[in-house]
Amino acid sequence: MSDPAWADAVGFVAGTLTTLAFLPQVLKTWRTRSARDLSLAMLLSFCAGVVLWLVYGVMIGQWPIILPNIVTLVLAGSILVFKLRESPPDGGDRESRRSP
Amino acid sequence: MSDPAWADAVGFVAGTLTTLAFLPQVLKTWRTRSARDLSLAMLLSFCAGVVLWLVYGVMIGQWPIILPNIVTLVLAGSILVFKLRESPPDGGDRESRRSP
């Protein structure tokens, strides 16, 4: 259970999955032109957290933390930009009922 | 820039933000009963990655990795369950046009 090479491999796959997870979301949002079901608070909190992970990586000089978080920030940030442009000027989410 | 205590603090806030980011998404999805704009591939990839982060944390015996990923898995996993129940039996996403 504590073989460092196995742990490194599991960590690498884990990081790849959580980093690239936002790619299909970017593609879906781009294709459907709708981000209404996405929570603005989720995107803001997540992007702010990723920025701080970047800062943390720079502070401790760890590229394995810096690089994936740059990729995540580009992906999650592009969804946030789409969401902000979609939201009405008053800043609230559209909660109007939709036809099924 | 390399004060370990500051780096730890930044890392802690970063982890809190990215871990709790899914809470407003869970609340929004629960409230609107709609996860159509959420990408199934994103949720699957993200949850699989979080499971592997958990395994990684157990392998290297680090509770600061294990605990936040348990919280993230519960939150992101509940959105995944909602999405899977919403999706039609053929497994595809509903892409039908909606009225604005």
Side-chain angles (χ1 to χ4, degrees):
Chain A
M1 274 300 270
S2 56
D3 185 325
W6 268 107
D8 282 354
V10 170
F12 180 79
V13 177
T16 303
L17 284 170
T18 51
T19 298
L20 294 185
F22 283 91
L23 184 57
Q25 182 64 61
V26 171
L27 296 175
K28 181 185 178 77
T29 303
W30 185 260
R31 200 173 67 240
T32 62
R33 317 298 300 171
S34 174
R36 280 186 291 188
D37 292 336
L38 289 162
S39 160
L40 180 59
M42 182 267 281
L43 292 168
L44 286 172
S45 172
F46 194 82
C47 287
V50 171
V51 167
L52 288 185
W53 276 127
L54 261 178
V55 172
Y56 173 77
V58 170
M59 288 175 93
I60 66 170
Q62 288 294 318
W63 283 103
I65 294 176
I66 297 169
L67 289 180
N69 278 293
I70 290 176
V71 176
T72 306
L73 186 60
V74 169
L75 293 174
S78 67
I79 304 170
L80 174 61
V81 169
F82 192 96
K83 178 71 179 176
L84 288 171
R85 292 176 65 173
E86 183 187 68
S87 293
D90 64 7
D93 287 333
R94 287 185 208 149
E95 298 294 353
S96 57
R97 291 280 160 205
R98 295 167 244 171
S99 61
Chain B
M1 277 301 269
S2 57
D3 185 325
W6 268 108
D8 281 355
V10 170
F12 179 79
V13 177
T16 303
L17 284 170
T18 50
T19 298
L20 295 185
F22 283 91
L23 184 58
Q25 182 65 61
V26 170
L27 296 175
K28 182 186 178 77
T29 303
W30 186 261
R31 202 174 63 243
T32 63
R33 318 296 302 168
S34 174
R36 279 186 292 186
D37 292 336
L38 289 162
S39 159
L40 179 61
M42 182 268 281
L43 292 168
L44 286 172
S45 172
F46 195 83
C47 288
V50 171
V51 167
L52 288 185
W53 276 127
L54 261 178
V55 173
Y56 173 77
V58 171
M59 288 175 93
I60 65 170
Q62 288 294 317
W63 283 102
I65 294 177
I66 297 169
L67 289 180
N69 279 293
I70 289 176
V71 177
T72 305
L73 186 60
V74 169
L75 293 173
S78 68
I79 305 171
L80 173 61
V81 168
F82 192 97
K83 177 71 179 177
L84 288 171
R85 293 177 63 173
E86 184 188 66
S87 294
D90 63 7
D93 286 333
R94 287 182 207 150
E95 299 293 352
S96 57
R97 290 282 160 203
R98 297 170 243 170
S99 61

